[in-house]
Short mmCIF file of all heavy atoms in Angstrom, two decimals:
data_model
loop_
_atom_site.label_atom_id
_atom_site.label_comp_id
_atom_site.label_asym_id
_atom_site.label_seq_id
_atom_site.Cartn_x
_atom_site.Cartn_y
_atom_site.Cartn_z
N GLY A 4 -20.00 8.85 -22.23
CA GLY A 4 -20.76 9.75 -21.37
C GLY A 4 -21.39 9.08 -20.17
O GLY A 4 -22.02 9.74 -19.36
N ILE A 5 -21.26 7.76 -20.06
CA ILE A 5 -21.82 7.08 -18.88
C ILE A 5 -20.69 6.87 -17.86
O ILE A 5 -19.60 6.42 -18.21
CB ILE A 5 -22.38 5.69 -19.27
CG1 ILE A 5 -23.55 5.84 -20.25
CG2 ILE A 5 -22.83 4.92 -18.03
CD1 ILE A 5 -24.76 6.53 -19.67
N ASN A 6 -20.98 7.23 -16.65
CA ASN A 6 -20.00 7.08 -15.58
C ASN A 6 -20.43 5.93 -14.67
O ASN A 6 -21.37 6.05 -13.90
CB ASN A 6 -19.92 8.39 -14.77
CG ASN A 6 -18.77 8.37 -13.77
OD1 ASN A 6 -17.82 7.61 -13.93
ND2 ASN A 6 -18.86 9.21 -12.75
N ARG A 7 -19.69 4.80 -14.78
CA ARG A 7 -19.96 3.71 -13.83
C ARG A 7 -19.26 4.06 -12.53
O ARG A 7 -18.09 4.45 -12.53
CB ARG A 7 -19.42 2.39 -14.36
CG ARG A 7 -20.15 1.87 -15.60
CD ARG A 7 -19.44 0.65 -16.16
NE ARG A 7 -18.03 0.98 -16.40
CZ ARG A 7 -17.06 0.09 -16.55
NH1 ARG A 7 -17.32 -1.19 -16.47
NH2 ARG A 7 -15.82 0.47 -16.77
N GLN A 8 -19.96 3.90 -11.43
CA GLN A 8 -19.39 4.20 -10.12
C GLN A 8 -19.62 3.00 -9.20
O GLN A 8 -20.69 2.39 -9.27
CB GLN A 8 -20.07 5.40 -9.49
CG GLN A 8 -19.95 6.69 -10.28
CD GLN A 8 -20.61 7.84 -9.54
OE1 GLN A 8 -21.75 7.72 -9.12
NE2 GLN A 8 -19.89 8.94 -9.39
N ILE A 9 -18.65 2.73 -8.36
CA ILE A 9 -18.88 1.72 -7.32
C ILE A 9 -19.02 2.46 -6.00
O ILE A 9 -18.10 3.15 -5.55
CB ILE A 9 -17.78 0.66 -7.30
CG1 ILE A 9 -17.84 -0.09 -8.64
CG2 ILE A 9 -17.96 -0.29 -6.13
CD1 ILE A 9 -16.84 -1.16 -8.83
N LEU A 10 -20.23 2.34 -5.45
CA LEU A 10 -20.58 3.08 -4.24
C LEU A 10 -20.42 2.19 -3.01
O LEU A 10 -20.53 0.95 -3.10
CB LEU A 10 -22.04 3.54 -4.30
CG LEU A 10 -22.53 4.23 -5.58
CD1 LEU A 10 -24.01 4.61 -5.42
CD2 LEU A 10 -21.68 5.45 -5.90
N LEU A 11 -20.21 2.82 -1.88
CA LEU A 11 -20.30 2.11 -0.61
C LEU A 11 -21.79 2.01 -0.28
O LEU A 11 -22.46 3.02 -0.07
CB LEU A 11 -19.56 2.87 0.49
CG LEU A 11 -19.61 2.21 1.87
CD1 LEU A 11 -18.87 0.86 1.86
CD2 LEU A 11 -19.01 3.12 2.93
N LYS A 12 -22.29 0.77 -0.27
CA LYS A 12 -23.74 0.58 -0.07
C LYS A 12 -24.07 0.44 1.42
O LYS A 12 -25.11 0.90 1.89
CB LYS A 12 -24.16 -0.69 -0.82
CG LYS A 12 -25.64 -0.93 -0.89
CD LYS A 12 -25.86 -2.15 -1.78
CE LYS A 12 -27.21 -2.78 -1.54
NZ LYS A 12 -27.19 -4.18 -1.99
N SER A 13 -23.18 -0.24 2.14
CA SER A 13 -23.40 -0.43 3.59
C SER A 13 -22.04 -0.61 4.25
O SER A 13 -21.05 -0.93 3.58
CB SER A 13 -24.27 -1.66 3.83
OG SER A 13 -23.66 -2.80 3.22
N ARG A 14 -22.00 -0.44 5.55
CA ARG A 14 -20.73 -0.58 6.28
C ARG A 14 -20.59 -2.02 6.75
O ARG A 14 -21.55 -2.60 7.27
CB ARG A 14 -20.69 0.37 7.47
CG ARG A 14 -20.79 1.83 7.05
CD ARG A 14 -20.25 2.78 8.09
NE ARG A 14 -20.52 4.16 7.72
CZ ARG A 14 -19.83 4.86 6.82
NH1 ARG A 14 -18.81 4.29 6.21
NH2 ARG A 14 -20.14 6.10 6.53
N PRO A 15 -19.39 -2.60 6.60
CA PRO A 15 -19.21 -3.99 7.04
C PRO A 15 -19.14 -4.10 8.56
O PRO A 15 -18.69 -3.18 9.22
CB PRO A 15 -17.86 -4.39 6.42
CG PRO A 15 -17.16 -3.11 6.13
CD PRO A 15 -18.18 -2.04 5.98
N ASP A 16 -19.59 -5.25 9.04
CA ASP A 16 -19.43 -5.57 10.45
C ASP A 16 -18.47 -6.76 10.46
O ASP A 16 -18.86 -7.86 10.15
CB ASP A 16 -20.81 -5.94 11.03
CG ASP A 16 -20.73 -6.30 12.50
OD1 ASP A 16 -19.72 -5.95 13.13
OD2 ASP A 16 -21.68 -6.94 13.00
N GLY A 17 -17.19 -6.52 10.74
CA GLY A 17 -16.18 -7.56 10.56
C GLY A 17 -15.69 -7.54 9.12
O GLY A 17 -15.54 -6.48 8.53
N ALA A 18 -15.49 -8.73 8.53
CA ALA A 18 -14.94 -8.80 7.17
C ALA A 18 -15.94 -8.23 6.16
O ALA A 18 -17.13 -8.56 6.21
CB ALA A 18 -14.60 -10.24 6.82
N PRO A 19 -15.49 -7.36 5.25
CA PRO A 19 -16.42 -6.85 4.23
C PRO A 19 -16.83 -7.93 3.24
O PRO A 19 -16.17 -8.95 3.11
CB PRO A 19 -15.61 -5.75 3.52
CG PRO A 19 -14.21 -5.87 3.97
CD PRO A 19 -14.14 -6.82 5.12
N SER A 20 -17.94 -7.67 2.53
CA SER A 20 -18.41 -8.62 1.52
C SER A 20 -18.87 -7.83 0.29
O SER A 20 -18.99 -6.59 0.35
CB SER A 20 -19.58 -9.46 2.06
OG SER A 20 -20.74 -8.65 2.11
N LEU A 21 -19.20 -8.56 -0.78
CA LEU A 21 -19.64 -7.89 -2.01
C LEU A 21 -20.91 -7.08 -1.78
O LEU A 21 -21.15 -6.09 -2.46
CB LEU A 21 -19.88 -8.93 -3.11
CG LEU A 21 -18.63 -9.62 -3.67
CD1 LEU A 21 -19.01 -10.68 -4.69
CD2 LEU A 21 -17.66 -8.61 -4.27
N ASP A 22 -21.72 -7.50 -0.79
CA ASP A 22 -22.97 -6.78 -0.50
C ASP A 22 -22.74 -5.35 -0.03
O ASP A 22 -23.67 -4.55 -0.02
CB ASP A 22 -23.77 -7.51 0.60
CG ASP A 22 -24.26 -8.85 0.10
OD1 ASP A 22 -24.34 -9.02 -1.13
OD2 ASP A 22 -24.55 -9.71 0.95
#
Side-chain angles (χ1 to χ4, degrees):
I5 297 294
N6 189 22
R7 292 173 306 162
Q8 299 182 310
I9 296 180
L10 312 180
L11 180 65
K12 188 175 160 202
S13 56
R14 299 201 187 281
D16 180 18
S20 74
L21 290 177
D22 293 339

